[in-house]
């Protein structure tokens, strides 16, 4: 057994506490990873605040990176000392989606049950109480044990904070543009919401060669960052939906070919749909609380041959996509480091959640040690 400190949620809606836990040694097909960086994602906040029900107690975090510290028997793809990013979705490998090469659509991933594929937990609290690992990886910790399939080798020299973001927000946003929507060169794009995922959508649109990329947010500082990662135009969001749509249409010759919603709010989902021109596509990337429902006028939607796409995890195939995104970053074509505005200690996680609720910042990264 190894001792690790981890941010543990015991009661949704109540503060997360950093606890000392026992971490099991890696068994066959498992690896222990020393966590060097863990992003603070809005999905973590949904769980912490009780918007997304999850079993507890649970070690938080699902966007992490580090180095391999130990490997169990039968692990040959990874070696001690290797830098890795962690994938929060380990496919089951046998469902029809997995068989068809769509691991992001796996309905029976063990990650959804927050433990190892055989049902084991790797964390134990004082007194022997088992503690789950969020999405099976629990990255807001000093170390974690994960299935080999969850640890994706990355090139030497990659910043661990950048690697952590590749594990979730970058793959989600860049992939939504380049894989889910397959935006063609020359298309016009709008992105609503400029957190880590939204700015990744902007980067993805630039990578795809979009001719016009309009970034929309209520925070001026985020609009400034969007310009540095590929936005050609910016719009300051207001409560006047009609004015926002008109301004967007003026910038994009009647409306953007693709609108990416990257917040997960009903009002902005509806804004994305209402902004579409004839033949336009709304791509819903942000995830709402479970009970949220949006609506739209059906006649103009059908009559205008408009489309809505849902994009989970940017259709990521982590063993293929993570190293590719890392290489693009190291080549200067994917400026992931510009998404990071704060590096914080593990003990500051509650303040990080407060900061995330405010909507002011970009991506915060926990550096455990």
């Amino acid at each position: 057994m190894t001792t690790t400190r981890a941010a543990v949620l015991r009661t949704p809606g109540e503060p997360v506490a950093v606890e000392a836990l026992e971490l099991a040694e890696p068994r066959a097909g498992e690896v222990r990873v020393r966590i060097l960086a863990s992003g603070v994602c809005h999905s973590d906040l949904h769980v912490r605040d009780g918007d997304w029900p999850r079993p507890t107690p649970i070690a938080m975090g699902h966007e992490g990176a580090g180095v391999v510290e130990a490997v169990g028997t039968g692990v040959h793809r990874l070696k001690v000392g290797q830098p890795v990013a962690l994938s929060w979705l380990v496919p089951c490998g046998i469902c029809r989606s997995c068989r068809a090469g769509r691991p992001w659509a796996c309905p029976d991933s063990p990650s959804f049950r927050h433990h190892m594929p055989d049902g084991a937990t790797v964390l134990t609290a004082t007194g022997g109480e088992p503690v789950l690992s969020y999405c099976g990886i629990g990255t807001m910790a000093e170390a974690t044990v994960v299935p080999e399939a969850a640890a994706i080798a990355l090139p030497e020299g990659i910043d661990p904070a950048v690697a952590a973001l590749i594990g979730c927000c970058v793959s989600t946003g860049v992939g939504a543009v380049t894989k889910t929507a397959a935006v063609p060169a020359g298309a016009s794009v709008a992105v609503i919401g400029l957190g880590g995922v939204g700015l990744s959508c902007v980067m993805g649109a630039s990578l795809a060669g979009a001719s016009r990329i309009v970034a929309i947010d209520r925070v001026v500082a985020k609009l400034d960052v969007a310009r540095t990662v590929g936005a050609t135009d910016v719009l300051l969001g207001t409560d006047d939906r009609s004015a926002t749509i008109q301004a967007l249409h003026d910038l994009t010759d009647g409306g953007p070919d693709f609108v990416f919603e990257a917040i997960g709010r009903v009002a902005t989902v509806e804004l994305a749909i209402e902004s579409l021109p004839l033949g336009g596509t709304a791509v819903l990337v942000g995830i709402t609380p479970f009970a949220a429902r949006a609506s739209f006028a059906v006649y103009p939607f059908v009559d205008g041959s408009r489309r809505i796409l849902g994009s989970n995890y940017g259709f990521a195939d982590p063993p293929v996509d993570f190293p590719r995104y890392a290489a693009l970053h190291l080549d200067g074509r994917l400026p992931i480091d510009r998404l990071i505005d704060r590096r914080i200690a593990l003990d500051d996680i509650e303040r990080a959640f407060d900061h995330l609720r405010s909507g002011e910042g970009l991506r915060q990264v926990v550096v455990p040690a």
Side-chain angles (χ1 to χ4, degrees), residues 151-188:
I152 311 301
L154 292 186
E156 296 286 347
I158 191 84
D159 179 350
V162 167
L165 269 55
I166 287 172
C168 184
C169 80
V170 169
S171 293
T172 298
V174 173
V177 177
T178 62
K179 300 187 73 176
T180 306
V183 169
S188 56

PDB file of all heavy atoms in Angstrom, residues 151-188:
ATOM      1  N   ALA A 151      -4.158   5.157 -19.259  1.00  0.00           N
ATOM      2  CA  ALA A 151      -2.916   5.936 -19.252  1.00  0.00           C
ATOM      3  C   ALA A 151      -2.326   5.955 -20.657  1.00  0.00           C
ATOM      4  O   ALA A 151      -1.913   4.919 -21.180  1.00  0.00           O
ATOM      5  CB  ALA A 151      -1.924   5.346 -18.255  1.00  0.00           C
ATOM      6  N   ILE A 152      -2.306   7.132 -21.255  1.00  0.00           N
ATOM      7  CA  ILE A 152      -1.872   7.274 -22.645  1.00  0.00           C
ATOM      8  C   ILE A 152      -0.504   7.944 -22.682  1.00  0.00           C
ATOM      9  O   ILE A 152      -0.336   9.075 -22.203  1.00  0.00           O
ATOM     10  CB  ILE A 152      -2.890   8.119 -23.451  1.00  0.00           C
ATOM     11  CG1 ILE A 152      -4.319   7.604 -23.229  1.00  0.00           C
ATOM     12  CG2 ILE A 152      -2.501   8.139 -24.913  1.00  0.00           C
ATOM     13  CD1 ILE A 152      -4.536   6.161 -23.632  1.00  0.00           C
ATOM     14  N   ALA A 153       0.471   7.246 -23.242  1.00  0.00           N
ATOM     15  CA  ALA A 153       1.836   7.772 -23.308  1.00  0.00           C
ATOM     16  C   ALA A 153       1.898   9.013 -24.188  1.00  0.00           C
ATOM     17  O   ALA A 153       1.286   9.060 -25.268  1.00  0.00           O
ATOM     18  CB  ALA A 153       2.773   6.697 -23.848  1.00  0.00           C
ATOM     19  N   LEU A 154       2.631  10.024 -23.701  1.00  0.00           N
ATOM     20  CA  LEU A 154       2.818  11.266 -24.447  1.00  0.00           C
ATOM     21  C   LEU A 154       4.307  11.522 -24.657  1.00  0.00           C
ATOM     22  O   LEU A 154       5.152  10.926 -23.984  1.00  0.00           O
ATOM     23  CB  LEU A 154       2.184  12.435 -23.688  1.00  0.00           C
ATOM     24  CG  LEU A 154       0.654  12.442 -23.580  1.00  0.00           C
ATOM     25  CD1 LEU A 154       0.188  13.737 -22.938  1.00  0.00           C
ATOM     26  CD2 LEU A 154      -0.008  12.258 -24.934  1.00  0.00           C
ATOM     27  N   PRO A 155       4.641  12.434 -25.565  1.00  0.00           N
ATOM     28  CA  PRO A 155       6.062  12.704 -25.835  1.00  0.00           C
ATOM     29  C   PRO A 155       6.770  13.291 -24.623  1.00  0.00           C
ATOM     30  O   PRO A 155       6.177  14.022 -23.819  1.00  0.00           O
ATOM     31  CB  PRO A 155       6.013  13.726 -26.983  1.00  0.00           C
ATOM     32  CG  PRO A 155       4.646  13.631 -27.560  1.00  0.00           C
ATOM     33  CD  PRO A 155       3.745  13.190 -26.453  1.00  0.00           C
ATOM     34  N   GLU A 156       8.040  12.989 -24.492  1.00  0.00           N
ATOM     35  CA  GLU A 156       8.865  13.606 -23.459  1.00  0.00           C
ATOM     36  C   GLU A 156       8.881  15.116 -23.677  1.00  0.00           C
ATOM     37  O   GLU A 156       8.857  15.604 -24.807  1.00  0.00           O
ATOM     38  CB  GLU A 156      10.300  13.058 -23.528  1.00  0.00           C
ATOM     39  CG  GLU A 156      10.425  11.576 -23.225  1.00  0.00           C
ATOM     40  CD  GLU A 156      10.259  11.269 -21.735  1.00  0.00           C
ATOM     41  OE1 GLU A 156      10.296  12.225 -20.922  1.00  0.00           O
ATOM     42  OE2 GLU A 156      10.115  10.081 -21.405  1.00  0.00           O
ATOM     43  N   GLY A 157       8.914  15.853 -22.584  1.00  0.00           N
ATOM     44  CA  GLY A 157       9.006  17.301 -22.674  1.00  0.00           C
ATOM     45  C   GLY A 157       7.680  18.022 -22.657  1.00  0.00           C
ATOM     46  O   GLY A 157       7.658  19.263 -22.611  1.00  0.00           O
ATOM     47  N   ILE A 158       6.582  17.301 -22.666  1.00  0.00           N
ATOM     48  CA  ILE A 158       5.277  17.944 -22.627  1.00  0.00           C
ATOM     49  C   ILE A 158       5.014  18.478 -21.221  1.00  0.00           C
ATOM     50  O   ILE A 158       5.295  17.805 -20.223  1.00  0.00           O
ATOM     51  CB  ILE A 158       4.164  16.958 -23.062  1.00  0.00           C
ATOM     52  CG1 ILE A 158       2.841  17.678 -23.292  1.00  0.00           C
ATOM     53  CG2 ILE A 158       3.993  15.839 -22.064  1.00  0.00           C
ATOM     54  CD1 ILE A 158       2.720  18.287 -24.642  1.00  0.00           C
ATOM     55  N   ASP A 159       4.534  19.702 -21.118  1.00  0.00           N
ATOM     56  CA  ASP A 159       4.169  20.284 -19.827  1.00  0.00           C
ATOM     57  C   ASP A 159       3.042  19.448 -19.232  1.00  0.00           C
ATOM     58  O   ASP A 159       2.020  19.233 -19.882  1.00  0.00           O
ATOM     59  CB  ASP A 159       3.708  21.729 -20.054  1.00  0.00           C
ATOM     60  CG  ASP A 159       3.277  22.443 -18.788  1.00  0.00           C
ATOM     61  OD1 ASP A 159       3.146  21.808 -17.719  1.00  0.00           O
ATOM     62  OD2 ASP A 159       3.039  23.668 -18.870  1.00  0.00           O
ATOM     63  N   PRO A 160       3.183  18.958 -17.981  1.00  0.00           N
ATOM     64  CA  PRO A 160       2.116  18.144 -17.396  1.00  0.00           C
ATOM     65  C   PRO A 160       0.767  18.847 -17.366  1.00  0.00           C
ATOM     66  O   PRO A 160      -0.280  18.201 -17.520  1.00  0.00           O
ATOM     67  CB  PRO A 160       2.635  17.862 -15.976  1.00  0.00           C
ATOM     68  CG  PRO A 160       4.111  17.942 -16.084  1.00  0.00           C
ATOM     69  CD  PRO A 160       4.371  19.022 -17.087  1.00  0.00           C
ATOM     70  N   ALA A 161       0.743  20.172 -17.181  1.00  0.00           N
ATOM     71  CA  ALA A 161      -0.527  20.898 -17.183  1.00  0.00           C
ATOM     72  C   ALA A 161      -1.173  20.860 -18.557  1.00  0.00           C
ATOM     73  O   ALA A 161      -2.398  20.707 -18.684  1.00  0.00           O
ATOM     74  CB  ALA A 161      -0.305  22.341 -16.734  1.00  0.00           C
ATOM     75  N   VAL A 162      -0.375  20.980 -19.593  1.00  0.00           N
ATOM     76  CA  VAL A 162      -0.887  20.855 -20.963  1.00  0.00           C
ATOM     77  C   VAL A 162      -1.397  19.440 -21.200  1.00  0.00           C
ATOM     78  O   VAL A 162      -2.475  19.231 -21.768  1.00  0.00           O
ATOM     79  CB  VAL A 162       0.214  21.225 -21.978  1.00  0.00           C
ATOM     80  CG1 VAL A 162      -0.174  20.798 -23.392  1.00  0.00           C
ATOM     81  CG2 VAL A 162       0.493  22.720 -21.930  1.00  0.00           C
ATOM     82  N   ALA A 163      -0.626  18.456 -20.742  1.00  0.00           N
ATOM     83  CA  ALA A 163      -1.033  17.059 -20.906  1.00  0.00           C
ATOM     84  C   ALA A 163      -2.355  16.787 -20.208  1.00  0.00           C
ATOM     85  O   ALA A 163      -3.213  16.064 -20.729  1.00  0.00           O
ATOM     86  CB  ALA A 163       0.058  16.132 -20.364  1.00  0.00           C
ATOM     87  N   ALA A 164      -2.532  17.362 -19.009  1.00  0.00           N
ATOM     88  CA  ALA A 164      -3.794  17.164 -18.283  1.00  0.00           C
ATOM     89  C   ALA A 164      -4.964  17.679 -19.092  1.00  0.00           C
ATOM     90  O   ALA A 164      -6.013  17.013 -19.205  1.00  0.00           O
ATOM     91  CB  ALA A 164      -3.729  17.870 -16.927  1.00  0.00           C
ATOM     92  N   LEU A 165      -4.818  18.861 -19.694  1.00  0.00           N
ATOM     93  CA  LEU A 165      -5.914  19.435 -20.472  1.00  0.00           C
ATOM     94  C   LEU A 165      -6.206  18.630 -21.734  1.00  0.00           C
ATOM     95  O   LEU A 165      -7.357  18.547 -22.182  1.00  0.00           O
ATOM     96  CB  LEU A 165      -5.605  20.891 -20.821  1.00  0.00           C
ATOM     97  CG  LEU A 165      -6.106  21.929 -19.804  1.00  0.00           C
ATOM     98  CD1 LEU A 165      -5.599  21.659 -18.399  1.00  0.00           C
ATOM     99  CD2 LEU A 165      -5.740  23.340 -20.248  1.00  0.00           C
ATOM    100  N   ILE A 166      -5.182  18.011 -22.297  1.00  0.00           N
ATOM    101  CA  ILE A 166      -5.418  17.124 -23.440  1.00  0.00           C
ATOM    102  C   ILE A 166      -6.342  15.983 -23.023  1.00  0.00           C
ATOM    103  O   ILE A 166      -7.186  15.533 -23.808  1.00  0.00           O
ATOM    104  CB  ILE A 166      -4.078  16.581 -23.978  1.00  0.00           C
ATOM    105  CG1 ILE A 166      -3.321  17.690 -24.711  1.00  0.00           C
ATOM    106  CG2 ILE A 166      -4.300  15.388 -24.931  1.00  0.00           C
ATOM    107  CD1 ILE A 166      -1.910  17.317 -25.124  1.00  0.00           C
ATOM    108  N   GLY A 167      -6.231  15.569 -21.747  1.00  0.00           N
ATOM    109  CA  GLY A 167      -7.059  14.468 -21.264  1.00  0.00           C
ATOM    110  C   GLY A 167      -8.539  14.740 -21.219  1.00  0.00           C
ATOM    111  O   GLY A 167      -9.337  13.797 -21.126  1.00  0.00           O
ATOM    112  N   CYS A 168      -8.959  16.011 -21.266  1.00  0.00           N
ATOM    113  CA  CYS A 168     -10.398  16.287 -21.267  1.00  0.00           C
ATOM    114  C   CYS A 168     -10.739  17.471 -22.144  1.00  0.00           C
ATOM    115  O   CYS A 168     -11.220  17.317 -23.252  1.00  0.00           O
ATOM    116  CB  CYS A 168     -10.920  16.495 -19.843  1.00  0.00           C
ATOM    117  SG  CYS A 168     -12.720  16.722 -19.779  1.00  0.00           S
ATOM    118  N   CYS A 169     -10.479  18.718 -21.684  1.00  0.00           N
ATOM    119  CA  CYS A 169     -11.074  19.865 -22.379  1.00  0.00           C
ATOM    120  C   CYS A 169     -10.553  20.031 -23.796  1.00  0.00           C
ATOM    121  O   CYS A 169     -11.329  20.375 -24.695  1.00  0.00           O
ATOM    122  CB  CYS A 169     -10.905  21.146 -21.562  1.00  0.00           C
ATOM    123  SG  CYS A 169      -9.315  21.970 -21.643  1.00  0.00           S
ATOM    124  N   VAL A 170      -9.287  19.786 -24.037  1.00  0.00           N
ATOM    125  CA  VAL A 170      -8.747  19.948 -25.383  1.00  0.00           C
ATOM    126  C   VAL A 170      -9.327  18.902 -26.324  1.00  0.00           C
ATOM    127  O   VAL A 170      -9.780  19.219 -27.439  1.00  0.00           O
ATOM    128  CB  VAL A 170      -7.210  19.898 -25.364  1.00  0.00           C
ATOM    129  CG1 VAL A 170      -6.650  19.800 -26.777  1.00  0.00           C
ATOM    130  CG2 VAL A 170      -6.662  21.129 -24.650  1.00  0.00           C
ATOM    131  N   SER A 171      -9.328  17.647 -25.890  1.00  0.00           N
ATOM    132  CA  SER A 171      -9.918  16.597 -26.730  1.00  0.00           C
ATOM    133  C   SER A 171     -11.395  16.863 -26.977  1.00  0.00           C
ATOM    134  O   SER A 171     -11.901  16.627 -28.080  1.00  0.00           O
ATOM    135  CB  SER A 171      -9.731  15.228 -26.063  1.00  0.00           C
ATOM    136  OG  SER A 171      -8.361  14.876 -26.020  1.00  0.00           O
ATOM    137  N   THR A 172     -12.091  17.364 -25.961  1.00  0.00           N
ATOM    138  CA  THR A 172     -13.521  17.638 -26.097  1.00  0.00           C
ATOM    139  C   THR A 172     -13.777  18.763 -27.097  1.00  0.00           C
ATOM    140  O   THR A 172     -14.646  18.646 -27.968  1.00  0.00           O
ATOM    141  CB  THR A 172     -14.117  18.006 -24.732  1.00  0.00           C
ATOM    142  OG1 THR A 172     -13.972  16.889 -23.852  1.00  0.00           O
ATOM    143  CG2 THR A 172     -15.580  18.363 -24.838  1.00  0.00           C
ATOM    144  N   GLY A 173     -13.024  19.862 -26.975  1.00  0.00           N
ATOM    145  CA  GLY A 173     -13.273  21.017 -27.830  1.00  0.00           C
ATOM    146  C   GLY A 173     -12.695  20.877 -29.221  1.00  0.00           C
ATOM    147  O   GLY A 173     -13.400  21.079 -30.221  1.00  0.00           O
ATOM    148  N   VAL A 174     -11.421  20.531 -29.318  1.00  0.00           N
ATOM    149  CA  VAL A 174     -10.799  20.374 -30.636  1.00  0.00           C
ATOM    150  C   VAL A 174     -11.495  19.254 -31.408  1.00  0.00           C
ATOM    151  O   VAL A 174     -11.799  19.384 -32.600  1.00  0.00           O
ATOM    152  CB  VAL A 174      -9.291  20.095 -30.502  1.00  0.00           C
ATOM    153  CG1 VAL A 174      -8.679  19.761 -31.867  1.00  0.00           C
ATOM    154  CG2 VAL A 174      -8.586  21.295 -29.883  1.00  0.00           C
ATOM    155  N   GLY A 175     -11.781  18.153 -30.706  1.00  0.00           N
ATOM    156  CA  GLY A 175     -12.435  17.034 -31.373  1.00  0.00           C
ATOM    157  C   GLY A 175     -13.852  17.353 -31.832  1.00  0.00           C
ATOM    158  O   GLY A 175     -14.311  16.847 -32.871  1.00  0.00           O
ATOM    159  N   ALA A 176     -14.578  18.184 -31.081  1.00  0.00           N
ATOM    160  CA  ALA A 176     -15.928  18.569 -31.505  1.00  0.00           C
ATOM    161  C   ALA A 176     -15.898  19.233 -32.869  1.00  0.00           C
ATOM    162  O   ALA A 176     -16.795  19.026 -33.706  1.00  0.00           O
ATOM    163  CB  ALA A 176     -16.554  19.509 -30.477  1.00  0.00           C
ATOM    164  N   VAL A 177     -14.859  20.028 -33.115  1.00  0.00           N
ATOM    165  CA  VAL A 177     -14.734  20.739 -34.387  1.00  0.00           C
ATOM    166  C   VAL A 177     -14.199  19.833 -35.485  1.00  0.00           C
ATOM    167  O   VAL A 177     -14.762  19.741 -36.579  1.00  0.00           O
ATOM    168  CB  VAL A 177     -13.821  21.970 -34.223  1.00  0.00           C
ATOM    169  CG1 VAL A 177     -13.625  22.667 -35.567  1.00  0.00           C
ATOM    170  CG2 VAL A 177     -14.406  22.934 -33.204  1.00  0.00           C
ATOM    171  N   THR A 178     -13.092  19.152 -35.194  1.00  0.00           N
ATOM    172  CA  THR A 178     -12.389  18.423 -36.249  1.00  0.00           C
ATOM    173  C   THR A 178     -12.923  17.014 -36.484  1.00  0.00           C
ATOM    174  O   THR A 178     -12.740  16.466 -37.580  1.00  0.00           O
ATOM    175  CB  THR A 178     -10.888  18.345 -35.934  1.00  0.00           C
ATOM    176  OG1 THR A 178     -10.707  17.620 -34.696  1.00  0.00           O
ATOM    177  CG2 THR A 178     -10.287  19.730 -35.795  1.00  0.00           C
ATOM    178  N   LYS A 179     -13.592  16.432 -35.463  1.00  0.00           N
ATOM    179  CA  LYS A 179     -14.069  15.054 -35.602  1.00  0.00           C
ATOM    180  C   LYS A 179     -15.601  14.978 -35.639  1.00  0.00           C
ATOM    181  O   LYS A 179     -16.180  14.469 -36.597  1.00  0.00           O
ATOM    182  CB  LYS A 179     -13.511  14.192 -34.472  1.00  0.00           C
ATOM    183  CG  LYS A 179     -11.979  14.142 -34.445  1.00  0.00           C
ATOM    184  CD  LYS A 179     -11.459  13.158 -33.417  1.00  0.00           C
ATOM    185  CE  LYS A 179     -11.670  11.730 -33.862  1.00  0.00           C
ATOM    186  NZ  LYS A 179     -11.080  10.748 -32.918  1.00  0.00           N
ATOM    187  N   THR A 180     -16.262  15.484 -34.593  1.00  0.00           N
ATOM    188  CA  THR A 180     -17.724  15.393 -34.561  1.00  0.00           C
ATOM    189  C   THR A 180     -18.338  16.141 -35.729  1.00  0.00           C
ATOM    190  O   THR A 180     -19.134  15.581 -36.492  1.00  0.00           O
ATOM    191  CB  THR A 180     -18.274  15.970 -33.239  1.00  0.00           C
ATOM    192  OG1 THR A 180     -17.642  15.333 -32.141  1.00  0.00           O
ATOM    193  CG2 THR A 180     -19.776  15.768 -33.152  1.00  0.00           C
ATOM    194  N   ALA A 181     -18.016  17.430 -35.870  1.00  0.00           N
ATOM    195  CA  ALA A 181     -18.605  18.245 -36.937  1.00  0.00           C
ATOM    196  C   ALA A 181     -17.813  18.152 -38.235  1.00  0.00           C
ATOM    197  O   ALA A 181     -18.366  18.432 -39.305  1.00  0.00           O
ATOM    198  CB  ALA A 181     -18.675  19.699 -36.485  1.00  0.00           C
ATOM    199  N   ALA A 182     -16.548  17.769 -38.155  1.00  0.00           N
ATOM    200  CA  ALA A 182     -15.680  17.711 -39.338  1.00  0.00           C
ATOM    201  C   ALA A 182     -15.791  19.006 -40.137  1.00  0.00           C
ATOM    202  O   ALA A 182     -16.080  19.008 -41.342  1.00  0.00           O
ATOM    203  CB  ALA A 182     -16.012  16.498 -40.207  1.00  0.00           C
ATOM    204  N   VAL A 183     -15.555  20.129 -39.474  1.00  0.00           N
ATOM    205  CA  VAL A 183     -15.672  21.442 -40.106  1.00  0.00           C
ATOM    206  C   VAL A 183     -14.697  21.531 -41.279  1.00  0.00           C
ATOM    207  O   VAL A 183     -13.494  21.313 -41.102  1.00  0.00           O
ATOM    208  CB  VAL A 183     -15.384  22.554 -39.073  1.00  0.00           C
ATOM    209  CG1 VAL A 183     -15.238  23.911 -39.758  1.00  0.00           C
ATOM    210  CG2 VAL A 183     -16.489  22.591 -38.025  1.00  0.00           C
ATOM    211  N   PRO A 184     -15.188  21.856 -42.474  1.00  0.00           N
ATOM    212  CA  PRO A 184     -14.284  21.943 -43.629  1.00  0.00           C
ATOM    213  C   PRO A 184     -13.560  23.281 -43.676  1.00  0.00           C
ATOM    214  O   PRO A 184     -14.018  24.285 -43.121  1.00  0.00           O
ATOM    215  CB  PRO A 184     -15.242  21.804 -44.817  1.00  0.00           C
ATOM    216  CG  PRO A 184     -16.538  22.379 -44.322  1.00  0.00           C
ATOM    217  CD  PRO A 184     -16.602  22.040 -42.853  1.00  0.00           C
ATOM    218  N   ALA A 185     -12.435  23.308 -44.338  1.00  0.00           N
ATOM    219  CA  ALA A 185     -11.698  24.552 -44.522  1.00  0.00           C
ATOM    220  C   ALA A 185     -12.595  25.561 -45.234  1.00  0.00           C
ATOM    221  O   ALA A 185     -13.343  25.219 -46.155  1.00  0.00           O
ATOM    222  CB  ALA A 185     -10.433  24.295 -45.337  1.00  0.00           C
ATOM    223  N   GLY A 186     -12.520  26.803 -44.787  1.00  0.00           N
ATOM    224  CA  GLY A 186     -13.304  27.864 -45.399  1.00  0.00           C
ATOM    225  C   GLY A 186     -14.658  28.100 -44.768  1.00  0.00           C
ATOM    226  O   GLY A 186     -15.322  29.094 -45.075  1.00  0.00           O
ATOM    227  N   ALA A 187     -15.107  27.213 -43.876  1.00  0.00           N
ATOM    228  CA  ALA A 187     -16.401  27.378 -43.229  1.00  0.00           C
ATOM    229  C   ALA A 187     -16.340  28.510 -42.203  1.00  0.00           C
ATOM    230  O   ALA A 187     -15.267  28.894 -41.734  1.00  0.00           O
ATOM    231  CB  ALA A 187     -16.826  26.083 -42.556  1.00  0.00           C
ATOM    232  N   SER A 188     -17.523  29.018 -41.847  1.00  0.00           N
ATOM    233  CA  SER A 188     -17.603  30.011 -40.773  1.00  0.00           C
ATOM    234  C   SER A 188     -18.086  29.332 -39.503  1.00  0.00           C
ATOM    235  O   SER A 188     -18.932  28.436 -39.537  1.00  0.00           O
ATOM    236  CB  SER A 188     -18.540  31.155 -41.159  1.00  0.00           C
ATOM    237  OG  SER A 188     -19.827  30.678 -41.498  1.00  0.00           O
TER     238      SER A 188
END
